[in-house]
Amino acid sequence: MSTVMSAIRILIVENHPAVCEALRYQMDRHEDLEYAGEAATVEDALAQIDTIAPDVAVMDVALQDGDGIDLVKRIRAQGSNTKVLVWSMFDARLYADRARRAGAQGYITKEQPTAEIA
């Protein structure tokens, strides 16, 4: 009997279209990753997490209408099982610990190539 592994469904929470496109490109290169959608605002991200229940949300700290760290806290408060990876241009020394304390599973800087996300 073989076990079929389903792809990891990923929501991109980012307000820069070029960054979203680069992440989608990386996901398309991996059959075990699936693009589930994207959001540019806190409220849209919360609604999509509630509606589509992605496995992972990859999000920036700076969003159009708020702070990604606060968004992580709100995701945890609504009881979502979605794992969160914060991916930001901000220095990891300043934000990584805050992101983890808020409930994120990881933090990576945008200095890293998009392949690191995969």
Side-chain angles (χ1 to χ4, degrees):
M1 176 190 252
S2 67
T3 304
V4 177
M5 301 256 322
S6 59
I8 298 168
R9 300 176 61 244
I10 300 174
L11 173 69
I12 301 168
V13 184
E14 167 68 55
N15 60 339
H16 292 94
V19 174
C20 292
E21 185 177 321
L23 288 175
R24 280 193 314 269
Y25 173 77
Q26 282 300 325
M27 284 182 234
D28 288 344
R29 297 180 63 177
H30 298 271
E31 60 185 48
D32 59 340
L33 301 178
E34 177 185 326
Y35 170 78
E38 62 189 64
T41 67
V42 169
E43 294 308 317
D44 190 23
L46 288 169
Q48 287 198 52
I49 287 170
D50 189 46
T51 303
I52 64 176
D55 300 306
V56 177
V58 176
M59 71 176 61
D60 196 353
V61 169
L63 300 171
Q64 285 180 1
D65 64 343
D67 180 290
I69 304 293
D70 289 334
L71 175 56
V72 175
K73 292 176 187 175
R74 290 181 67 184
I75 291 168
R76 292 295 156 247
Q78 74 180 26
S80 172
N81 291 326
T82 298
K83 292 179 175 33
V84 177
L85 175 62
V86 176
W87 189 48
S88 182
M89 68 179 185
F90 297 117
D91 188 333
R93 292 174 294 178
L94 301 174
Y95 285 89
D97 190 49
R98 285 183 57 209
R100 283 193 291 274
R101 282 195 320 261
Q105 279 66 40
Y107 187 96
I108 188 169
T109 65
K110 288 185 178 176
E111 292 175 351
Q112 304 299 314
T114 56
E116 289 292 315
I117 298 291

